[in-house]
Amino acid sequence: MTASPANSLPPSNSGVAATRWLATGSLLALIVLCLAWELVLAPVRPGGSWLAIKALPLCIPLAGILKNRMYTYRWVSLVIWLYFTEGVVRGWGDKPPSQWLAWGEVALCLVLFTACTLHVRVRQRNARAAAAAAEASTAAPAP
């Protein structure tokens, strides 16, 4: 029996690297957007507002994402829905330019969620492939 071409290829780290950079970039962009939105671009009150504090919880997972910790990718993909919800609510209820910034927040949240989800899937697939390859190499009969 011959192996299919998809199964005979070694697991690729390019998908892991791409999703990692996409997650890091979108998280950093979301932090910058939250700060700029509430302090400069369209603050609730002139001169900035305390809503800029919403960027602080986004700084917590930044270290885990930069260290490539699987657990961080998993919980960020759940927590990001709070920011998505805020973006949708303010996107429907605010007036421009705050409305545009809210829709930008929604887009960044979707990119971050997708990147985190794909990152976890690719890493799990690569781990399964590596385990199968290790098992096959140890199970091979000696000549």
Side-chain angles (χ1 to χ4, degrees):
M1 178 186 338
T2 61
S4 68
N7 291 338
S8 62
L9 297 174
S12 170
N13 287 329
S14 63
V16 172
T19 56
R20 180 181 182 196
W21 286 111
L22 190 59
T24 304
S26 58
L27 181 59
L28 286 171
L30 194 54
I31 291 169
V32 169
L33 175 69
C34 288
L35 289 173
W37 179 3
E38 301 303 341
L39 295 176
V40 179
L41 300 175
V44 175
R45 295 191 177 121
S49 73
W50 281 96
L51 279 177
I53 278 181
K54 71 182 180 182
L56 281 178
L58 293 172
C59 295
I60 296 169
L62 189 57
I65 297 253
L66 291 173
K67 291 179 182 177
N68 207 21
R69 293 187 175 151
M70 179 79 88
Y71 180 76
T72 304
Y73 286 93
R74 287 179 175 161
W75 71 263
V76 165
S77 68
L78 299 174
V79 171
I80 200 61
W81 291 109
L82 297 171
Y83 290 86
F84 174 85
T85 303
E86 186 230 3
V88 169
V89 169
R90 291 185 72 181
W92 284 108
D94 287 1
K95 293 183 170 137
S98 185
Q99 182 181 37
W100 303 327
L101 296 168
W103 290 120
E105 180 181 38
V106 167
L108 285 171
C109 288
L110 290 173
V111 169
L112 181 56
F113 172 78
T114 304
C116 287
T117 305
L118 289 175
H119 184 85
V120 169
R121 285 184 182 183
V122 170
R123 279 182 60 184
Q124 286 178 337
R125 184 192 67 214
N126 287 352
R128 281 193 302 270
E135 183 179 312
S137 68
T138 59

Coordinates of all heavy atoms in Angstrom, one line a residue, residues 54-113:
K54 N -9.4 49.9 27.9 CA -9.8 48.6 27.3 C -8.6 48.0 26.5 O -8.7 46.8 26.2 CB -11.0 48.8 26.4 CG -10.7 49.6 25.1 CD -11.9 49.8 24.3 CE -11.6 50.6 23.0 NZ -12.8 50.8 22.2
A55 N -7.6 48.7 26.3 CA -6.4 48.2 25.6 C -5.5 47.4 26.6 O -4.8 46.5 26.1 CB -5.6 49.3 25.0
L56 N -5.6 47.6 27.8 CA -4.8 46.9 28.8 C -5.0 45.4 28.8 O -4.0 44.6 28.8 CB -5.0 47.4 30.2 CG -4.3 48.7 30.6 CD1 -4.6 49.1 32.0 CD2 -2.8 48.6 30.4
P57 N -6.2 44.8 28.8 CA -6.4 43.4 28.7 C -5.8 42.8 27.5 O -5.4 41.6 27.5 CB -7.9 43.2 28.8 CG -8.4 44.4 29.4 CD -7.5 45.5 29.0
L58 N -5.7 43.5 26.4 CA -5.1 43.0 25.2 C -3.5 42.9 25.3 O -2.9 42.1 24.6 CB -5.4 43.9 24.0 CG -6.9 44.0 23.6 CD1 -7.1 45.0 22.5 CD2 -7.3 42.6 23.1
C59 N -2.9 43.6 26.2 CA -1.5 43.5 26.4 C -1.1 42.2 27.2 O 0.0 41.8 27.0 CB -1.0 44.7 27.2 SG -1.2 46.3 26.3
I60 N -2.0 41.7 27.9 CA -1.7 40.4 28.7 C -1.4 39.3 27.8 O -0.3 38.6 28.0 CB -2.9 40.1 29.6 CG1 -3.0 41.2 30.7 CG2 -2.7 38.7 30.3 CD1 -4.3 41.1 31.5
P61 N -2.2 39.0 26.7 CA -1.8 37.8 25.9 C -0.6 38.1 25.0 O -0.1 37.2 24.3 CB -3.1 37.5 25.1 CG -3.8 38.8 25.1 CD -3.5 39.5 26.4
L62 N -0.2 39.3 24.8 CA 0.9 39.7 23.9 C 2.1 38.9 24.2 O 2.8 38.3 23.3 CB 1.2 41.2 23.9 CG 2.1 41.7 22.8 CD1 1.6 41.3 21.4 CD2 2.3 43.2 23.0
A63 N 2.5 38.7 25.5 CA 3.7 38.0 25.8 C 3.6 36.5 25.5 O 4.5 35.9 24.9 CB 4.0 38.1 27.3
G64 N 2.4 35.9 25.7 CA 2.2 34.5 25.4 C 2.2 34.3 23.9 O 2.7 33.2 23.4
I65 N 1.6 35.2 23.1 CA 1.6 35.1 21.7 C 3.1 35.2 21.1 O 3.5 34.4 20.3 CB 0.7 36.1 21.0 CG1 -0.7 35.9 21.4 CG2 0.9 36.2 19.5 CD1 -1.7 35.4 20.5
L66 N 3.8 36.1 21.7 CA 5.2 36.3 21.3 C 6.1 35.1 21.6 O 7.0 34.7 20.9 CB 5.8 37.6 21.8 CG 5.3 38.9 21.3 CD1 5.8 40.1 22.0 CD2 5.5 39.0 19.8
K67 N 5.7 34.4 22.7 CA 6.4 33.2 23.2 C 5.9 31.9 22.5 O 6.3 30.8 22.8 CB 6.4 33.1 24.7 CG 7.2 34.1 25.4 CD 7.1 34.0 26.9 CE 7.9 35.1 27.5 NZ 7.8 35.1 29.0
N68 N 4.9 32.1 21.7 CA 4.2 31.0 20.9 C 3.6 29.9 21.8 O 3.7 28.7 21.6 CB 5.3 30.4 20.0 CG 4.6 29.8 18.8 OD1 3.5 30.1 18.4 ND2 5.3 28.8 18.1
R69 N 2.9 30.4 22.9 CA 2.3 29.4 23.8 C 0.9 29.1 23.3 O 0.0 29.9 23.1 CB 2.2 30.1 25.2 CG 3.5 30.3 25.8 CD 3.4 30.7 27.2 NE 4.7 30.8 27.8 CZ 5.0 31.6 28.8 NH1 4.2 32.4 29.3 NH2 6.3 31.6 29.3
M70 N 0.7 27.8 23.1 CA -0.6 27.3 22.6 C -1.8 27.7 23.4 O -2.8 28.1 22.9 CB -0.5 25.8 22.5 CG -1.8 25.1 21.9 SD -1.9 25.2 20.2 CE -1.1 23.8 19.7
Y71 N -1.6 27.7 24.7 CA -2.7 28.0 25.6 C -3.2 29.4 25.4 O -4.4 29.7 25.4 CB -2.3 27.8 27.1 CG -3.3 28.2 28.1 CD1 -4.4 27.3 28.3 CD2 -3.3 29.3 28.8 CE1 -5.4 27.6 29.3 CE2 -4.3 29.7 29.7 CZ -5.3 28.8 30.0 OH -6.3 29.1 30.9
T72 N -2.3 30.3 25.1 CA -2.6 31.8 24.9 C -3.5 31.9 23.6 O -4.5 32.6 23.6 CB -1.4 32.6 24.8 OG1 -0.6 32.4 25.9 CG2 -1.7 34.1 24.6
Y73 N -3.1 31.2 22.6 CA -3.9 31.3 21.3 C -5.3 30.8 21.6 O -6.2 31.3 21.0 CB -3.2 30.4 20.2 CG -2.0 31.0 19.7 CD1 -0.7 30.7 20.2 CD2 -2.1 32.0 18.6 CE1 0.4 31.3 19.6 CE2 -0.9 32.5 18.1 CZ 0.3 32.2 18.6 OH 1.4 32.8 18.1
R74 N -5.4 29.8 22.4 CA -6.8 29.2 22.7 C -7.6 30.2 23.4 O -8.8 30.4 23.0 CB -6.6 27.9 23.5 CG -6.1 26.8 22.6 CD -6.0 25.5 23.4 NE -5.6 24.4 22.6 CZ -5.1 23.3 23.0 NH1 -4.9 23.1 24.3 NH2 -4.8 22.3 22.1
W75 N -7.1 30.8 24.5 CA -8.0 31.7 25.3 C -8.2 33.0 24.6 O -9.2 33.6 24.8 CB -7.6 31.8 26.7 CG -6.4 32.5 27.1 CD1 -5.2 32.0 27.4 CD2 -6.3 33.9 27.4 NE1 -4.3 32.9 27.7 CE2 -4.9 34.2 27.7 CE3 -7.1 35.0 27.3 CZ2 -4.5 35.4 28.1 CZ3 -6.7 36.2 27.6 CH2 -5.4 36.4 28.0
V76 N -7.2 33.5 23.8 CA -7.4 34.7 23.1 C -8.6 34.6 22.1 O -9.4 35.5 21.9 CB -6.1 35.2 22.4 CG1 -6.4 36.3 21.3 CG2 -5.1 35.7 23.4
S77 N -8.7 33.4 21.5 CA -9.7 33.2 20.5 C -11.1 33.2 21.1 O -12.1 33.4 20.4 CB -9.5 31.9 19.7 OG -9.7 30.8 20.6
L78 N -11.2 33.1 22.4 CA -12.5 33.2 23.1 C -12.7 34.7 23.7 O -13.8 35.2 23.5 CB -12.5 32.2 24.3 CG -12.4 30.8 23.9 CD1 -12.3 29.9 25.2 CD2 -13.6 30.4 23.1
V79 N -11.7 35.2 24.2 CA -11.8 36.6 24.8 C -12.0 37.7 23.8 O -12.7 38.7 24.1 CB -10.5 36.9 25.7 CG1 -10.5 38.3 26.1 CG2 -10.4 36.0 26.9
I80 N -11.5 37.5 22.6 CA -11.6 38.5 21.6 C -13.1 38.8 21.2 O -13.4 39.9 20.7 CB -10.8 38.1 20.3 CG1 -10.5 39.3 19.5 CG2 -11.5 37.0 19.5 CD1 -9.6 40.3 20.2
W81 N -14.0 37.9 21.5 CA -15.4 38.1 21.2 C -16.0 39.3 22.0 O -17.0 39.9 21.6 CB -16.2 36.8 21.3 CG -15.8 35.9 20.3 CD1 -15.1 34.7 20.4 CD2 -16.1 36.0 18.9 NE1 -15.0 34.1 19.2 CE2 -15.5 34.8 18.2 CE3 -16.7 36.9 18.1 CZ2 -15.6 34.6 16.9 CZ3 -16.8 36.7 16.7 CH2 -16.2 35.6 16.1
L82 N -15.4 39.6 23.1 CA -15.8 40.8 23.9 C -15.5 42.1 23.1 O -16.4 43.0 23.1 CB -15.1 40.8 25.3 CG -15.4 39.7 26.2 CD1 -14.5 39.7 27.4 CD2 -16.9 39.7 26.6
Y83 N -14.4 42.1 22.5 CA -14.0 43.3 21.7 C -14.8 43.3 20.4 O -15.2 44.4 20.0 CB -12.5 43.3 21.4 CG -11.7 43.6 22.6 CD1 -11.3 42.5 23.5 CD2 -11.3 44.9 23.0 CE1 -10.6 42.8 24.7 CE2 -10.6 45.1 24.1 CZ -10.3 44.1 25.0 OH -9.6 44.4 26.1
F84 N -15.1 42.2 19.9 CA -16.0 42.1 18.7 C -17.3 42.6 19.0 O -17.9 43.4 18.2 CB -16.1 40.6 18.2 CG -17.0 40.4 17.1 CD1 -16.6 40.6 15.8 CD2 -18.3 40.0 17.3 CE1 -17.5 40.4 14.7 CE2 -19.2 39.8 16.3 CZ -18.8 40.0 15.0
T85 N -17.9 42.3 20.1 CA -19.2 42.7 20.5 C -19.2 44.2 20.7 O -20.1 44.9 20.3 CB -19.7 42.0 21.8 OG1 -19.6 40.6 21.6 CG2 -21.1 42.4 22.2
E86 N -18.2 44.8 21.4 CA -18.1 46.2 21.6 C -18.0 46.9 20.2 O -18.7 47.9 20.0 CB -16.9 46.6 22.4 CG -16.8 48.0 22.8 CD -15.5 48.7 22.5 OE1 -14.6 48.1 21.9 OE2 -15.4 49.9 22.8
G87 N -17.3 46.4 19.3 CA -17.2 47.0 18.0 C -18.5 47.0 17.2 O -18.8 48.0 16.6
V88 N -19.2 45.9 17.3 CA -20.5 45.8 16.6 C -21.5 46.8 17.2 O -22.2 47.5 16.5 CB -21.1 44.4 16.7 CG1 -22.5 44.3 16.2 CG2 -20.2 43.4 15.8
V89 N -21.6 46.9 18.6 CA -22.5 47.8 19.2 C -22.1 49.2 18.9 O -23.0 50.0 18.5 CB -22.4 47.6 20.8 CG1 -23.2 48.7 21.5 CG2 -23.1 46.2 21.1
R90 N -20.9 49.6 19.0 CA -20.5 51.0 18.6 C -20.5 51.2 17.1 O -20.7 52.4 16.7 CB -19.1 51.3 19.2 CG -19.2 51.3 20.8 CD -17.9 51.7 21.4 NE -17.7 53.2 21.2 CZ -16.6 53.8 21.6 NH1 -15.6 53.1 22.3 NH2 -16.4 55.0 21.4
G91 N -20.4 50.2 16.3 CA -20.5 50.4 14.9 C -21.9 50.7 14.5 O -22.1 51.5 13.5
W92 N -22.9 50.1 15.2 CA -24.3 50.4 14.9 C -24.8 51.7 15.5 O -25.6 52.4 15.0 CB -25.2 49.3 15.3 CG -25.1 48.1 14.4 CD1 -24.5 46.9 14.6 CD2 -25.7 48.0 13.0 NE1 -24.7 46.1 13.5 CE2 -25.4 46.8 12.5 CE3 -26.4 48.9 12.2 CZ2 -25.7 46.3 11.3 CZ3 -26.7 48.5 11.0 CH2 -26.4 47.2 10.5
G93 N -24.2 52.0 16.7 CA -24.8 53.1 17.5 C -24.0 54.4 17.4 O -24.6 55.5 17.6
D94 N -22.7 54.4 17.1 CA -22.0 55.7 17.1 C -22.1 56.3 15.7 O -22.5 55.8 14.8 CB -20.5 55.4 17.4 CG -20.2 55.1 18.9 OD1 -21.2 55.0 19.7 OD2 -19.1 54.8 19.2
K95 N -21.6 57.6 15.7 CA -21.6 58.3 14.5 C -20.1 58.4 14.0 O -19.2 58.2 14.8 CB -22.1 59.7 14.7 CG -23.5 59.8 15.0 CD -24.0 61.2 15.2 CE -25.5 61.1 15.3 NZ -26.2 61.8 16.2
P96 N -19.9 58.6 12.7 CA -18.5 58.7 12.2 C -17.8 59.8 12.9 O -18.4 60.8 13.3 CB -18.7 59.0 10.7 CG -20.1 58.4 10.4 CD -20.9 58.6 11.6
P97 N -16.5 59.7 13.1 CA -15.6 58.6 12.7 C -15.5 57.4 13.7 O -14.9 56.4 13.4 CB -14.2 59.4 12.7 CG -14.4 60.4 13.8 CD -15.8 60.8 13.8
S98 N -16.2 57.6 14.9 CA -16.2 56.5 15.8 C -16.8 55.2 15.2 O -16.3 54.1 15.5 CB -16.9 56.9 17.1 OG -16.8 55.9 18.1
Q99 N -17.8 55.4 14.4 CA -18.4 54.2 13.8 C -17.4 53.5 12.9 O -17.4 52.2 12.9 CB -19.6 54.7 12.9 CG -20.4 53.6 12.2 CD -21.5 54.2 11.4 OE1 -21.4 55.2 10.8 NE2 -22.6 53.5 11.4
W100 N -16.6 54.2 12.1 CA -15.6 53.6 11.2 C -14.5 52.8 12.0 O -14.1 51.7 11.7 CB -15.0 54.6 10.3 CG -15.9 55.4 9.5 CD1 -17.1 54.9 9.0 CD2 -15.8 56.7 9.1 NE1 -17.8 55.9 8.3 CE2 -17.0 57.0 8.3 CE3 -14.9 57.7 9.3 CZ2 -17.2 58.3 7.8 CZ3 -15.1 59.0 8.7 CH2 -16.2 59.2 8.0
L101 N -14.1 53.4 13.1 CA -13.1 52.8 14.0 C -13.7 51.5 14.6 O -13.0 50.5 14.8 CB -12.7 53.8 15.1 CG -11.9 55.0 14.6 CD1 -11.8 56.0 15.7 CD2 -10.6 54.6 14.0
A102 N -15.0 51.6 14.9 CA -15.6 50.4 15.5 C -15.7 49.2 14.5 O -15.4 48.1 14.8 CB -17.1 50.7 16.0
W103 N -15.9 49.5 13.2 CA -15.9 48.5 12.2 C -14.5 48.0 11.9 O -14.3 46.8 11.6 CB -16.6 48.9 10.9 CG -18.1 49.1 11.2 CD1 -18.8 50.2 11.0 CD2 -19.0 48.1 11.6 NE1 -20.2 50.0 11.3 CE2 -20.3 48.7 11.7 CE3 -18.9 46.8 11.9 CZ2 -21.5 48.0 12.1 CZ3 -20.1 46.1 12.3 CH2 -21.3 46.7 12.4
G104 N -13.5 48.9 12.1 CA -12.1 48.4 12.0 C -11.8 47.5 13.1 O -11.1 46.5 13.0
E105 N -12.3 47.8 14.3 CA -12.1 46.9 15.5 C -12.7 45.5 15.2 O -12.1 44.5 15.5 CB -12.7 47.5 16.7 CG -12.6 46.6 18.0 CD -13.2 47.3 19.2 OE1 -14.3 47.9 19.1 OE2 -12.6 47.1 20.3
V106 N -13.9 45.5 14.6 CA -14.6 44.2 14.3 C -13.7 43.4 13.3 O -13.5 42.2 13.5 CB -16.0 44.5 13.7 CG1 -16.6 43.3 13.1 CG2 -16.9 45.0 14.8
A107 N -13.2 44.1 12.3 CA -12.4 43.4 11.3 C -11.1 42.8 11.9 O -10.8 41.7 11.7 CB -12.0 44.4 10.2
L108 N -10.5 43.6 12.8 CA -9.3 43.1 13.4 C -9.6 41.9 14.4 O -8.8 41.0 14.5 CB -8.6 44.2 14.2 CG -7.8 45.3 13.4 CD1 -7.4 46.4 14.2 CD2 -6.6 44.6 12.7
C109 N -10.7 42.0 15.0 CA -11.1 40.9 15.9 C -11.3 39.6 15.1 O -10.9 38.5 15.5 CB -12.4 41.2 16.6 SG -12.2 42.4 18.0
L110 N -11.9 39.7 13.9 CA -12.2 38.6 13.1 C -10.8 38.0 12.5 O -10.7 36.8 12.5 CB -13.1 38.9 11.9 CG -14.5 39.2 12.3 CD1 -15.3 39.7 11.1 CD2 -15.2 38.0 12.9
V111 N -9.9 38.9 12.2 CA -8.6 38.4 11.7 C -7.9 37.7 12.9 O -7.3 36.6 12.7 CB -7.8 39.6 11.2 CG1 -6.3 39.2 10.9 CG2 -8.4 40.2 9.9
L112 N -7.9 38.3 14.0 CA -7.2 37.7 15.2 C -7.8 36.4 15.6 O -7.1 35.4 15.8 CB -7.3 38.7 16.4 CG -6.6 38.2 17.7 CD1 -5.1 37.8 17.4 CD2 -6.7 39.2 18.8
F113 N -9.1 36.3 15.6 CA -9.8 35.0 15.9 C -9.4 33.9 14.8 O -9.1 32.8 15.2 CB -11.3 35.2 15.9 CG -12.1 33.9 16.0 CD1 -12.1 33.2 17.2 CD2 -12.6 33.3 14.9 CE1 -12.8 32.0 17.3 CE2 -13.3 32.1 15.0 CZ -13.4 31.4 16.2

